[in-house]
């Protein structure tokens, strides 16, 4: 379904029953897990891990391997997912969601395995530094470091290429956008580039800016997974930024750079506080001349992509988004060849 269809916000019967049951399971898990010794971030991280364990359903034939990326003063763990042992045609670098604060490689195993299954690509999941310990732009710097590593490791690792796809869910989608904008603002000649270039973006329900008050923010502020108060806390802990990175933190403000973004798929969820801002941003990309496909997943809540093992409908929506990106890239290649 495209964003042109607007469901009745009061009609909760439109919510996917499998996701509704999953949210109930998460609520019981929250209530049954007292953690007086943990701070806010620690509790959210624990619950995210427990939720993922509750839903984990490994795909057969999927090869998972951890790699360690050296960076200044730190080491970044990444995990590759590949279906079988045959070389894959492309690499999709994935940035997990979790409000820039929670989520990790393990919480997104299911999603990354399915992305590899649906696309046929190698998926490389990045465990970037998280807030509040590491405010913005620390997580963005980690993504940049991974792209530089992929450029250096060509000929060493089969998935290391000079051009890759980049994507993410929720906060990870925001970081993917920030990274693409940072790269577009400072392009380098192909023969001297120090990092892998980006030729496509796959974004699930990205947060675009704090303090939004769209109709979806009002309609789904409580009871649909991500709450308005939690999103406000996540933005607060993300911190600010100075210079060029201040623009990357607020993607819609980068009006001069937006036209240089690669083909982009934006997939929102019908029952999500971030729905309207994500769709408004997709229309902004289209107006800027960016080849963009906007999808609205019906009956879905925020976070549906990482719940796809619990909901056949969620799984179908993720697969459709992957196919939409493939079609978008194929069209861009055809247009380039015809030019």
């Amino acid at each position: 379904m495209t964003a042109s269809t607007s469901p009745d916000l009061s009609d909760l019967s439109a919510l996917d029953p499998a996701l509704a049951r999953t949210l109930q399971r998460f609520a019981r898990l929250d209530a049954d897990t007292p953690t007086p010794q943990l701070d806010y971030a620690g509790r959210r991280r624990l619950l995210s891990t427990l939720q993922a364990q509750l839903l984990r359903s490994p795909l057969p034939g999927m090869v998972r391997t951890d790699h360690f990326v050296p960076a200044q003063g730190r080491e970044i763990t990444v995990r590759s997912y590949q279906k079988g042992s045959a070389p894959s045609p492309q690499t999709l670098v994935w940035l997990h969601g979790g409000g820039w604060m929670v989520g990790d490689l393990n919480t997104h195993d299911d999603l990354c395995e399915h992305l590899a299954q649906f696309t046929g690509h190698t998926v490389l999941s990045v465990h970037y530094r998280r807030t509040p310990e590491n405010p913005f732009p620390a997580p963005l710097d980690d993504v940049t470091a991974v792209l530089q590593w992929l450029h250096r490791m060509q000929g060493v690792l089969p998935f290391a290429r000079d051009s890759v796809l980049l994507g993410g869910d929720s906060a990870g989608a925001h970081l993917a956008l920030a990274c693409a904008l940072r790269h577009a603002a400072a392009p380098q000649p192909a023969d001297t580039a120090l990092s892998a270039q980006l030729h496509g973006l796959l974004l699930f329900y990205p947060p675009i800016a704090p303090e939004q008050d769209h109709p979806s923010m009002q309609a789904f502020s409580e009871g649909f997974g991500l709450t308005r108060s939690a999103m406000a806390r996540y933005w607060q802990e993300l911190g600010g930024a100075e210079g060029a990175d201040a623009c990357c933190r607020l993607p819609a403000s980068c009006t001069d750079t937006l036209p240089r973004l690669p083909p982009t798929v934006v997939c929102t969820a019908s029952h999500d506080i971030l729905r309207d801002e994500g769709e408004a941003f997709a229309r902004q990309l289209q107006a800027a001349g960016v080849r963009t496909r906007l999808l609205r997943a019906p009956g879905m809540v925020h976070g549906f992509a990482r719940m796809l093992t619990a909901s056949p409908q969620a799984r179908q929506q993720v697969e459709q988004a992957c196919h939409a990106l493939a079609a978008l890239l194929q069209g861009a290649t055809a247009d380039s060849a015809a030019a």
Side-chain angles (χ1 to χ4, degrees):
M1 173 186 288
T2 64
S4 60
T5 302
S6 298
D8 181 359
L9 298 181
S10 64
D11 184 10
L12 299 186
S13 65
L15 187 63
D16 174 37
L19 286 187
R21 290 191 296 270
T22 301
L23 292 180
Q24 292 173 349
R25 294 173 71 189
F26 286 175
R28 288 194 297 270
L29 183 66
D30 192 338
D32 293 342
T33 310
T35 55
Q37 70 275 35
L38 297 181
D39 62 9
Y40 183 85
R43 177 171 175 79
R44 299 319 308 169
R45 290 168 182 168
L46 173 63
L47 289 173
S48 178
T49 296
L50 295 176
Q51 290 171 1
Q53 292 173 349
L54 196 65
L55 302 182
R56 182 71 173 122
S57 181
L59 283 180
M62 196 63 61
V63 179
R64 297 188 312 154
T65 307
D66 287 351
H67 312 266
F68 304 93
V69 179
Q72 185 175 9
R74 64 196 188 279
E75 191 174 55
I76 306 164
T77 305
V78 298
R79 179 172 295 165
S80 62
Y81 303 80
Q82 183 173 315
K83 183 181 178 182
S85 57
S88 60
Q90 296 190 66
T91 297
L92 168 61
V93 178
W94 196 257
L95 310 178
H96 65 77
W100 308 282
M101 177 187 292
V102 305
D104 54 42
L105 301 180
N106 296 330
T107 61
H108 282 62
D109 272 333
D110 281 326
L111 174 56
C112 289
E113 287 181 356
H114 280 80
L115 290 171
Q117 175 89 1
F118 295 150
T119 63
H121 305 332
T122 295
V123 174
L124 191 69
S125 182
V126 179
H127 185 54
Y128 53 83
R129 285 174 291 175
R130 300 176 296 183
T131 64
E133 297 87 352
N134 304 281
F136 194 86
L140 176 58
D141 291 340
D142 285 353
V143 181
T144 298
V146 169
L147 294 178
Q148 293 170 343
W149 175 74
L150 285 171
H151 180 82
R152 294 194 307 269
M153 296 301 287
Q154 291 181 84
V156 179
L157 294 171
F159 56 79
R161 297 179 171 88
D162 62 359
S163 181
V164 299
L165 302 169
L166 181 63
D169 56 297
S170 193
H174 169 272
L175 289 177
L177 268 174
C179 181
L181 288 166
R182 176 188 271 186
H183 280 242
Q188 295 177 322
D191 59 343
T192 61
L194 298 178
S195 68
Q197 301 302 297
L198 306 175
H199 67 273
L201 297 174
L202 177 59
L203 311 174
F204 287 96
Y205 33 83
I208 302 300
E211 300 178 358
Q212 298 293 295
D213 198 32
H214 295 291
S216 64
M217 181 68 73
Q218 300 174 21
F220 308 118
S221 61
E222 297 288 340
F224 295 88
L226 178 64
T227 65
R228 184 174 192 159
S229 60
M231 194 68 238
R233 178 68 177 265
Y234 291 145
W235 273 112
Q236 177 185 351
E237 298 293 355
L238 181 63
E242 298 179 354
D245 286 334
C247 179
C248 296
R249 180 179 177 271
L250 300 174
S253 68
C254 301
T255 53
D256 291 340
T257 311
L258 287 179
R260 297 199 290 273
L261 289 182
T264 301
V265 169
V266 178
C267 183
T268 64
S270 62
H271 293 61
D272 178 13
I273 61 172
L274 302 185
R275 185 197 68 197
D276 291 349
E277 62 187 270
E279 294 179 0
F281 181 73
R283 290 189 288 270
Q284 184 181 359
L285 288 180
Q286 292 170 337
V290 179
R291 185 181 289 270
T292 306
R293 178 73 187 279
L294 172 57
L295 304 171
R296 177 187 291 180
M300 298 289 105
V301 297
H302 187 87
F304 74 83
R306 71 179 184 89
M307 305 180 209
L308 81 177
T309 60
S311 164
Q313 288 188 41
R315 185 180 187 276
Q316 182 181 46
Q317 295 302 318
V318 173
E319 184 173 14
Q320 288 181 358
C322 290
H323 292 333
L325 180 62
L328 198 65
L329 295 175
Q330 185 176 17
T333 300
D335 288 351
S336 178

